[in-house]
Amino acid sequence: MKLIQISQTGGPEELRLADADIPTPGPKHVLVRIGAAGVNFIDVYFRIGLYPAPLPFTPGNEGAGVIEAVGPDVTDFKVGDRVAWGMWRGSYAEYAAIPVAALVHLPDSVDFETGAAAMLQGMTAHYLSHSSFPLKKGDTCLIHAAAGGAGRLLVQMAKMLGATVYGTAGTDEKAAIAKSAGADEVIVYTRQDFVQEVKNLTGGKGVDVVYDSVGVDTFLKGLDIIRPRGMMVLFGQSSGAVPPFNPALLNQKGSLFLTRPSLAHHCLTKEELNGRASDVLNWIGEGKLELRIHKTYALGDAAQAHKDLEGRGTAGKLLLVN
Ligand code: NDP
């Protein structure tokens, strides 16, 4: 089978197509023939070594496909089942052995591309809006990179919960995409000062919560537009990691709360994983949540997909399809 392998961390050119034997699933694992794999910023972090992984490795935490074989001690899944996952590395491949603990069943109405596009960013938007800072009617939030894969889904869920949503986006075109997802106002933060704009929009009060996936370029400024005792949810670093800072700053800026969450800690049990995944997949099926597939690539074009994602030119999901 074909897979993408990273033998040393570095640029997109380190994503090399290689041959390998089809794996044999061990206990509580199944062999999945992968239909589509999601491309996410976390794959970039692993590729560059920001998040460590033993070398060589196959990147890709998200995918969907069909079970071709089951290992010992597998009870809830069988050959022929259509499945998806969002937290198991090795998805940039034609086949992978995946632990059943990471898998959910894919409803018949959801195809592999949709399944692979929904899991990681969808469940992330779910926990951010329902758990990290559970939004309710009347709340105000700022969502950075609101036209992005995770951002666009978060905008939609925040609106479902009744919040007023301000977004940021890098271009006018992306701003329109974020608006069409439901954002009330979108600030083009490459030419507008988002701090001033949010102050204007909130009458100087600030928002209840900032959801920041951009990191170093936006984090400190964001602390200036959160209301006293509001929350900064720093969930990514597309522009670079936030350096260490003095926690007294949170006091000075208004007794703020800060969290740096990850999806894994919000799917701690199979029940939690199934609950978030079924909400996301059901909302897609019911037309309440709309995915935007930006582009699909062949497996061998994984490097180009990473270049496009890091190049800031994408709006929505990138997929590798087999
Ligand atoms: P996106 O589709 O959001 O792509 C990243 C976007 O970030 C770009 O399109 C761009 O939008 C914006 N951006 C701002 N500055 C830069 C920069 N210097 N370089 C590149 N992009 C920049 O990607 P994902 O949806 O895959 O991920 C979004 C973020 O969410 C990532 O930071 C990721 O790590 C995080 N994440 C965190 C999870 C968690 O559980 N903690 C889980 C999933 C994702 P624009 O041009 O509009 O500014």
Side-chain angles (χ1 to χ4, degrees):
M1 69 160 186
K2 299 281 184 202
L3 49 64
I4 296 289
Q5 208 168 52
I6 293 183
S7 303
Q8 58 177 29
T9 56
E13 68 283 357
E14 300 301 338
L15 295 160
R16 292 181 209 281
L17 197 62
D19 290 299
D21 293 336
I22 293 176
T24 303
K28 298 192 172 156
H29 283 59
V30 299
L31 175 70
V32 179
R33 179 163 51 81
I34 298 173
V39 177
N40 293 285
F41 235 94
I42 192 172
D43 308 339
V44 174
Y45 304 149
F46 278 110
R47 194 203 72 217
I48 63 177
L50 181 68
Y51 292 178
L55 295 165
F57 69 92
T58 295
N61 280 27
E62 180 182 41
V66 63
I67 295 178
E68 289 217 338
V70 297
D73 307 324
V74 171
T75 48
D76 296 337
F77 294 87
K78 60 182 188 320
V79 170
D81 282 359
R82 301 166 69 258
V83 290
W85 60 97
M87 282 185 295
W88 185 258
R89 203 169 56 245
S91 310
Y92 289 12
E94 289 179 325
Y95 291 86
I98 316 254
V100 290
L103 287 179
V104 301
H105 282 104
L106 212 49
D108 289 342
S109 59
V110 177
D111 62 27
F112 292 147
E113 292 189 15
T114 304
M119 292 294 289
L120 197 153
Q121 293 167 344
M123 291 197 296
T124 296
H126 190 285
Y127 86 71
L128 292 170
S129 55
H130 290 72
S131 303
S132 297
F133 187 98
L135 289 166
K136 58 185 189 318
K137 195 169 163 46
D139 284 346
T140 52
C141 64
L142 176 69
I143 298 172
H144 284 303
R152 216 180 137 277
L153 296 174
L154 182 54
V155 168
Q156 294 179 68
M157 287 186 204
K159 288 312 295 179
M160 283 164 67
L161 292 164
T164 298
V165 177
Y166 305 129
T168 61
T171 63
D172 290 302
E173 192 190 0
K174 285 186 175 185
I177 289 167
K179 268 230 155 176
S180 72
D184 294 278
E185 298 289 341
V186 182
I187 302 154
V188 181
Y189 58 175
T190 44
R191 62 174 157 77
Q192 290 177 287
D193 175 3
F194 78 82
V195 171
Q196 195 51 54
E197 295 297 326
V198 170
K199 281 183 180 165
N200 294 345
L201 287 164
T202 59
K205 283 199 311 206
V207 292
D208 295 296
V209 55
V210 171
Y211 295 105
D212 187 340
S213 66
V214 171
V216 68
D217 284 356
T218 48
F219 175 76
L220 284 178
K221 290 180 196 161
L223 300 180
D224 288 333
I225 45 161
I226 302 173
R227 56 120 169 122
R229 306 205 307 259
M231 186 180 278
M232 166 64 80
V233 181
L234 175 67
F235 72 102
Q237 54 244 331
S238 324
S239 68
V242 173
F245 71 97
N246 185 343
L249 194 59
L250 299 173
N251 168 354
Q252 291 158 19
K253 299 290 179 185
S255 301
L256 302 182
F257 293 86
L258 166 67
T259 183
R260 176 60 182 89
S262 74
L263 178 58
H265 298 139
H266 291 80
C267 293
L268 286 175
T269 62
K270 194 74 204 252
E271 288 69 33
E272 201 171 27
L273 170 70
N274 285 341
R276 294 195 198 280
S278 67
D279 274 355
V280 170
L281 295 170
N282 287 339
W283 291 338
I284 290 169
E286 293 161 10
K288 290 183 185 163
L289 187 67
E290 188 226 351
L291 290 172
R292 184 174 197 274
I293 311 272
H294 176 83
K295 192 169 171 185
T296 59
Y297 302 77
L299 183 61
D301 294 330
Q304 187 59 49
H306 276 218
K307 281 182 200 158
D308 292 348
L309 184 63
E310 290 176 279
R312 216 174 159 172
T314 66
K317 190 74 198 181
L318 280 61
L319 292 170
L320 305 178
V321 290
N322 289 321

